[in-house]
């Protein structure tokens, strides 16, 4: 395991394993067949990739997500790991070339689509390759009890049975009920004790349900507040996607669109632009998302309620794969329930199936109305016993005040009764606001005592209020396409004054943006590098890595290696440019303290420490600028190297940097300032005294004190 930890650092730039990873890797390295059940973003890939590096021969990865394979292979290559894939997207010629390379031992990992296994000749070819580990991604697809059964997954059993040398098997999934887990274990010869489950909880996801205000308005406010972030908005129908897409673009938000009614070319262009951060918003039906692995989706908004919790958690779960805080917001509206019921009614004639789907839909509604922890509700749904409250979903944190709206509710409810409970919300709100609409007059509603009783609001506002009362279940909807509203028993209690109606104040829209200028700059730089390399930006560095850079401000190589997600290869490929950009930023923002020192020994690089390389050139008489040019580093990095050498008691020609006079002046001035920060000191000194001079003087003075 020592070596596994070293590789985690060296190839991936991570300090420690996440929950479950260590145990899974340990079992696999001991040759035990293993099942790993971890939530999306939990870090399943590393569970087979690190063993792949440590085991002889090749690791075969079977995955149904063809569109992800290229990204996965690109990501591995960026980390310095040789990998390839075989699927229907490549030509026969290319395929046989790759197969040859595989046989020659050129790759540590080979991704294949399960359909390949249906070809016996291909299976035969695999037998001549040394395969130590077979990893099965999305392993729930093997189970007929799962929601995503794939017949070609059954071929895996045959493959394993016929393989000349028995490879270790690792099955991975994020969605397995106990029943499905049993099925996976049984099909793949995994003993149940070797199933490692870390549960389904996603600690970085913040769930909320918005049901008391107009969703269109909420959406606009939210997007405005988070406009720099990547988000997905799910809508139930193609028509709704098109209309939202038009609305958002009109409002100035560059938005992509995706649904099954578009042609393939269009869909793939839109998806690509989103993945490459060229468009930060995507409005889509549930057709979108299966094949995408974009790690920096900061929020997922459901504009309409989905049909069941499985779909909801899967779609919402596309937020925050990189582990950073992300939001999952469901905009509830009573009409959605009507639409979903209608769809169930239309789709499958089996009574049993319909009953099952309705049950699931009702659970979805329960989720919208639960007053307990939302994350715990989800976990309970997926079979976890007594899950703890998450402490950060809306229900765990909501402290908004409520306003008593009982009187207005009584006006609406009594008007509905007077109108005979035969109308929808438009007509009811017109009567309440005293509209002169012909239909209102035709029915003689202007005679009602409730006609025009709410004359200080628009019909639209009153309609929103009716939605609120429906969401609170004081009103129910009946009928299909043109729903008729009726007062519920609970509504009658309101009318009788037995119940109060409270409405929460408008929800404050949160901002999940990392408001940091440097983060934005690094994001831009990442985009440029990604375009050059022709890969999605998150493959260069995750948002988590950029955030860590913005926090640690590494302007020296060793410090840069301390950043989360910076392994040796990434460091060598991108270190210089990123350090350069950070240095420039720090220089322009003197209030920030750059991190120029190594805080601890790092195992990522075994070559000569970078500062000593600079020192060697310094001793040869090269100037700071020359060293920078020779090494492709910024002057600031080289200056930092020299100061570090000074701290390690290597000789530095201080006289070349500052005179005695400047030395005394800087120390004298520092003594009279009560701030330890450099900026006020710099401002108190004559202009010609640079930051480097000041820092050098501080280092020298520090050395003299010791
Ligand atoms: P999954 O396949 O389970 O959805 P991934 O394997 O794609 O998850 O990992 C999700 C993210 O977490 C990736 O950005 C990955 O680099 C990161 N990650 C994985 N393991 C660790 C770890 N030990 N420390 C920090 N980040 C990790």
């Amino acid at each position: 395991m020592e070596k596994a930890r070293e590789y985690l650092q060296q190839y991936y730039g991570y300090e420690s394993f996440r929950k479950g990873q260590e145990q899974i890797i340990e079992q696999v390295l001991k040759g035990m067949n293993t099942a790993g059940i971890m939530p999306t973003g939990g870090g399943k890939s590393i569970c087979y990739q690190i063993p792949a590096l440590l085991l002889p021969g090749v690791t075969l990865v079977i995955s149904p997500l063809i569109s992800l394979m290229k990204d996965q292979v690109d990501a591995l290559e960026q980390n310095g790991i040789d990998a390839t894939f075989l699927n229907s997207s490549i030509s026969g010629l290319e395929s046989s070339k790759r197969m040859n390379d595989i046989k020659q031992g050129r790759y540590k990992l080979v991704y294949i689509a399960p359909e390949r296994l249906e070809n016996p000749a291909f299976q035969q070819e695999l037998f001549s390759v040394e395969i130590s580990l077979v990893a099965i991604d999305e392993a729930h697809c093997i189970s007929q009890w799962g929601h995503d059964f794939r017949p070609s997954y059954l071929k895996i059993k045959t493959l394993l049975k016929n393989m000349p040398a028995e490879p270790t098997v690792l099955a991975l999934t994020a969605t397995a009920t106990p029943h499905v887990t049993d099925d996976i274990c049984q099909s793949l010869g995994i003993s149940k004790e070797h199933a490692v489950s870390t549960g389904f909880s996603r600690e970085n996801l913040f769930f909320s349900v918005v049901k008391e205000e107009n969703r269109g308005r909420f959406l606009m406010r939210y997007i405005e507040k988070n406009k720099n972030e990547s988000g997905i908005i799910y809508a139930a129908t193609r028509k709704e996607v098109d209309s939202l897409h038009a609305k958002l673009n009109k409002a100035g938000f560059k938005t992509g669109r995706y649904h099954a009614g578009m042609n393939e070319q269009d869909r793939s262009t839109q998806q690509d632009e989103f993945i490459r951060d060229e468009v930060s918003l995507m409005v889509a039906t549930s057709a979108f998302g299966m094949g995408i692995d974009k790690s920096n989706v900061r929020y997922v908004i459901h504009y309409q309620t989905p049909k069941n919790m499985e779909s909801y958690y899967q779609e919402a779960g596309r937020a925050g794969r990189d582990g950073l805080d992300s939001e999952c917001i469901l905009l509830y509206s009573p009409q959605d329930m009507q639409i979903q019921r209608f769809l169930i009614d239309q789709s499958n004639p089996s009574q049993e199936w319909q009953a099952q789907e309705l049950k699931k839909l009702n659970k979805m509604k329960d989720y919208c109305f639960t007053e307990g922890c939302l994350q715990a509700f989800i976990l309970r749904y997926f079979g976890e016993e007594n899950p703890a409250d998450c402490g950060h979903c809306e229900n765990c944190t909501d402290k908004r005040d409520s306003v008593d709206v009982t009187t207005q509710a009584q006006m609406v409810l009594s008007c509905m009764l007077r109108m005979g409970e035969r109308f929808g919300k438009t007509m009811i709100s017109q009567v309440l606001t005293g509209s002169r609409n012909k239909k209102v007059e035709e029915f003689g509603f202007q005679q009602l005592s409730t006609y025009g009783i709410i004359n200080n609001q628009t019909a639209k506002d009153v309609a929103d209020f009716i939605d609120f009362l429906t969401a609170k279940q004081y009103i129910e909807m009946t009928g299909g396409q043109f729903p008729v509203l009726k007062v519920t028993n609970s509504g009658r209690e309101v009318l009788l004054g037995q119940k109060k109606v409270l409405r929460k104040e408008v929800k404050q829209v949160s901002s999940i943006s990392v408001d940091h200028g440097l983060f934005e700059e690094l994001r831009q730089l990442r985009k440029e590098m990604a375009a050059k390399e022709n890969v999605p930006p998150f493959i260069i560095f995750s948002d988590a890595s950029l955030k860590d850079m913005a926090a640690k401000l590494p302007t020296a190589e060793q410090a840069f290696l301390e950043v989360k997600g910076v392994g040796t290869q990434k460091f060598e490929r991108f270190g210089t440019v990123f350090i350069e950009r950070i240095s420039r930023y720090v220089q322009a923002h003197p209030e920030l303290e750059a991190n120029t020192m190594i805080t601890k020994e790092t195992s990522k690089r075994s070559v000569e420490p970078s500062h000593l390389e600079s020192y060697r050139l310094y001793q040869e008489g090269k100037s700071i600028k020359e060293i920078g040019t020779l090494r492709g580093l910024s002057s600031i990095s080289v200056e930092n190297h020299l100061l570090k050498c000074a701290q390690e008691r290597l000789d530095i020609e201080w006289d070349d940097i500052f005179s005695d006079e400047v030395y005394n002046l800087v120390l004298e001035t520092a003594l009279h300032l009560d701030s330890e920060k450099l900026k006020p000191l710099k401002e108190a000194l004559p202009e010609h005294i640079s930051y480097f001079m000041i820092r050098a003087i501080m280092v020298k003075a520090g050395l003299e004190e010791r």
Side-chain angles (χ1 to χ4, degrees):
M1 276 314 280
E2 195 51 40
K3 201 81 189 150
R5 240 167 268 132
E6 198 182 309
Y7 279 3
L8 180 70
Q9 181 75 265
Q10 182 185 333
Y11 286 98
Y12 298 89
Y14 297 138
E15 263 181 15
S16 54
F17 283 113
R18 289 216 188 119
K19 201 164 134 196
Q21 285 178 330
E22 192 155 8
Q23 192 188 343
I24 294 175
I25 293 174
E26 204 162 4
Q27 288 183 191
V28 170
L29 290 178
K30 283 187 185 148
M32 298 169 180
N33 289 353
T34 298
I37 300 133
M38 289 167 116
T40 310
K44 288 186 280 299
S45 322
I46 277 179
C47 296
Y48 60 81
Q49 290 172 356
I50 288 191
L53 292 169
L54 290 163
L55 294 169
V58 166
T59 287
L60 191 67
V61 187
I62 301 173
S63 163
L65 305 173
I66 294 179
S67 52
L68 287 188
M69 285 184 191
K70 187 172 176 306
D71 281 358
Q72 282 164 327
V73 165
D74 282 347
L76 282 163
E77 281 178 350
Q78 293 291 345
N79 282 340
I81 300 169
D82 293 322
T84 190
F85 64 87
L86 295 171
N87 64 30
S88 52
S89 73
I90 54 169
S91 68
L93 194 68
E94 175 65 21
S95 224
S96 41
K97 189 176 154 286
R98 290 189 188 184
M99 197 66 206
N100 256 335
D101 286 343
I102 294 166
K103 287 182 190 159
Q104 310 276 322
R106 221 191 111 188
Y107 301 110
K108 288 311 290 177
L109 286 121
V110 177
Y111 286 76
I112 64 162
E115 289 74 23
R116 289 254 136 182
L117 301 176
E118 284 170 20
N119 176 351
F122 176 73
Q123 287 215 19
Q124 204 60 43
E125 271 207 282
L126 280 182
F127 296 159
S128 57
V129 180
E130 185 188 4
I131 296 174
S132 305
L133 172 63
V134 176
I136 298 138
D137 209 3
E138 312 290 340
H140 58 276
C141 294
I142 206 169
S143 167
Q144 315 219 20
W145 301 106
H147 55 90
D148 212 6
F149 170 62
R150 304 232 174 179
S152 53
Y153 260 62
L154 297 176
K155 296 280 175 221
I156 300 174
K157 280 200 267 187
T158 338
L159 173 80
L160 294 173
K161 205 167 74 207
N162 296 337
M163 276 177 134
E166 224 176 287
T168 306
V169 175
L170 171 59
L172 295 160
T173 175
T175 56
T177 56
H179 196 157
V180 173
T181 310
D182 283 354
D183 230 16
I184 295 174
C185 289
Q186 221 219 332
S187 307
L188 298 170
I190 299 166
S191 83
K192 266 165 83 180
E193 307 82 75
H194 295 158
V196 180
S197 172
T198 61
F200 295 97
S201 117
R202 300 273 311 272
E203 272 139 33
N204 61 321
L205 297 189
F206 298 4
F207 290 89
S208 60
V209 179
V210 174
K211 53 181 180 290
E212 298 186 11
E213 69 171 296
N214 180 286
R215 58 181 165 191
R217 255 175 272 160
F218 175 86
L219 185 71
M220 286 296 174
R221 283 198 298 139
Y222 188 87
I223 293 175
E224 175 60 37
K225 192 108 185 202
N226 292 290
K227 56 177 172 248
N228 293 331
E229 300 299 334
S230 221
I232 305 175
I233 301 162
Y234 280 109
T237 60
R238 299 173 189 183
K239 207 170 127 205
E240 192 72 61
V241 167
D242 289 342
S243 120
L244 268 178
H245 175 254
K247 242 185 251 169
L248 290 167
N249 277 307
K250 194 163 163 230
F253 304 112
K254 210 173 156 204
T255 309
R257 172 178 82 111
Y258 192 105
H259 60 61
M262 295 157 57
N263 68 41
E264 203 178 321
Q265 169 80 39
D266 260 7
R267 270 184 292 168
S268 106
T269 312
Q270 301 269 324
Q271 176 168 311
D272 246 36
E273 284 183 355
F274 179 65
I275 289 176
R276 290 174 189 265
D277 282 346
E278 281 152 23
V279 165
S280 55
L281 257 182
M282 176 61 98
V283 188
T285 60
S286 56
F288 178 72
M290 241 331 231
I292 72 153
D293 206 2
K294 184 171 160 64
S295 72
N296 59 339
V297 174
R298 286 280 76 81
Y299 61 87
V300 172
I301 296 181
H302 279 77
Y303 193 72
Q304 277 146 335
T305 317
K307 61 179 190 286
N308 55 38
M309 291 301 295
E310 283 88 347
S311 314
Y312 181 61
Y313 202 44
Q314 187 171 47
E315 288 161 11
R318 298 198 171 115
R321 272 170 175 268
D322 54 14
L324 296 183
D325 290 354
S326 306
E327 279 200 277
C328 306
I329 305 173
L330 197 156
L331 308 181
Y332 174 84
S333 157
Q335 285 98 314
D336 300 343
M337 289 291 142
Q338 288 287 116
I339 295 173
Q340 293 293 0
R341 260 184 229 121
F342 176 77
L343 290 176
I344 292 172
D345 212 41
Q346 302 287 309
S347 51
N348 187 320
S350 146
Q351 290 284 318
E352 201 190 332
W353 183 89
Q354 289 198 356
Q356 167 92 354
E357 291 302 295
L358 277 176
K359 218 164 116 191
K360 286 187 170 179
L361 181 62
N362 280 334
K363 268 283 175 207
M364 195 65 236
K365 189 170 172 191
D366 291 347
Y367 172 78
C368 297
F369 285 93
T370 180
E371 291 186 349
C373 170
L374 291 168
Q375 168 98 73
F377 183 99
I378 297 172
L379 299 182
R380 232 176 280 121
Y381 182 85
F382 287 107
E384 274 184 30
E385 279 171 28
N386 303 321
D389 285 358
C390 72
H392 52 238
C393 72
E394 186 189 28
N395 288 357
C396 285
T397 55
D398 195 5
K399 299 209 169 53
R400 283 178 293 160
D401 284 334
S402 294
V403 183
D404 188 333
V405 289
T406 313
T407 313
Q408 186 171 331
Q410 286 168 333
M411 291 174 184
V412 173
L413 298 170
S414 90
C415 185
M416 284 170 61
L417 291 180
R418 280 163 220 268
M419 288 168 71
E421 295 181 286
R422 287 181 292 129
F423 298 91
K425 71 174 171 188
T426 313
M427 186 73 159
I428 302 168
S429 43
Q430 282 174 347
V431 174
L432 282 159
T433 51
S435 155
R436 293 186 189 280
N437 184 306
K438 232 171 80 204
K439 238 169 133 198
V440 171
E441 291 183 3
E442 260 171 41
F443 282 101
F445 287 149
Q446 71 274 42
Q447 312 297 334
L448 297 179
S449 58
T450 47
Y451 176 79
I453 197 171
I454 311 181
N455 56 9
N456 58 346
Q457 290 180 28
T458 63
K460 175 92 191 65
D461 287 340
V462 175
D464 280 352
F465 186 66
I466 293 175
D467 275 345
F468 158 74
L469 292 176
T470 317
K472 288 293 219 180
Q473 310 192 37
Y474 299 116
I475 295 175
E476 67 181 339
M477 279 185 167
T478 57
Q481 221 178 346
F482 303 103
V484 166
L485 303 187
K486 294 196 185 309
V487 179
T488 61
N489 285 339
S490 180
R492 284 172 203 277
E493 289 174 40
V494 172
L495 273 172
L496 294 171
Q498 293 165 347
K499 218 178 209 168
K500 274 194 168 155
V501 181
L502 299 176
R503 189 177 194 177
K504 291 256 171 85
E505 288 173 344
V506 174
K507 187 175 155 63
Q508 287 295 322
V509 168
S510 50
S511 164
I512 34 159
S513 301
V514 189
D515 191 15
H516 192 309
L518 177 58
F519 179 73
E520 288 310 321
E521 281 197 25
L522 296 177
R523 213 150 46 163
Q524 198 48 43
L525 178 62
R526 171 177 71 175
K527 213 161 134 184
E528 288 160 25
M529 305 307 291
K532 264 194 213 151
E533 301 273 323
N534 198 22
V535 294
F538 60 87
I539 284 184
I540 303 282
F541 283 124
S542 68
D543 273 19
S545 293
L546 297 190
K547 211 173 155 188
D548 205 31
M549 285 177 208
K552 288 187 177 142
L553 301 174
T555 55
E557 292 179 6
Q558 293 291 348
F560 194 75
L561 277 161
E562 301 278 317
V563 170
K564 210 173 3 175
V566 178
T568 314
Q569 165 114 348
K570 291 235 171 117
F571 168 74
E572 273 163 12
R573 303 196 56 180
F574 308 113
T576 315
V577 239
F578 276 81
I579 289 176
E580 177 81 42
R581 187 63 63 96
I582 296 166
S583 303
R584 244 198 283 151
Y585 189 88
V586 173
Q587 202 170 22
H589 297 81
E591 71 281 7
L592 298 172
E593 288 274 353
N595 178 4
T596 58
M597 311 303 163
I598 331 178
T599 46
K600 55 185 159 245
E601 272 307 309
T602 156
S603 56
K604 287 183 202 171
R605 246 163 84 97
S606 49
V607 291
E608 181 183 19
S610 190
H611 66 293
L612 296 183
E613 267 181 60
S614 295
Y615 188 71
R616 207 167 18 83
L617 295 168
Y618 176 73
Q619 277 186 313
E620 286 170 16
K622 304 262 185 314
S623 71
I624 289 177
K625 194 143 182 272
E626 284 167 334
I627 301 172
T629 314
L630 278 171
R631 300 204 55 212
L633 295 174
S634 66
S635 298
I636 296 188
S637 297
V638 179
E639 287 168 3
N640 290 334
H641 286 168
L642 297 186
L643 294 184
K644 185 171 158 45
C645 293
Q647 283 178 318
E648 290 174 4
R649 303 259 172 205
L650 293 170
D651 282 341
I652 294 288
E653 284 302 324
W654 297 117
D655 293 347
D656 292 346
I657 305 173
F658 50 78
S659 63
D660 281 352
E661 200 184 320
V662 169
Y663 181 81
N664 291 331
L665 176 66
V666 169
L667 290 185
E668 185 77 7
T669 316
L671 211 60
H672 291 101
L673 283 176
D674 44 336
S675 165
E676 300 223 321
K677 295 239 158 69
L678 283 186
K679 194 179 174 196
L681 181 54
K682 169 88 175 78
E683 279 167 2
L685 289 163
E687 191 113 4
H688 75 275
I689 302 180
S690 68
Y691 274 106
F692 177 49
M693 284 158 119
I694 301 173
R695 294 214 335 268
I697 290 167
M698 293 305 173
V699 170
K700 181 167 186 248
L703 289 171
E704 280 169 4
E705 261 175 34
R706 283 196 220 160

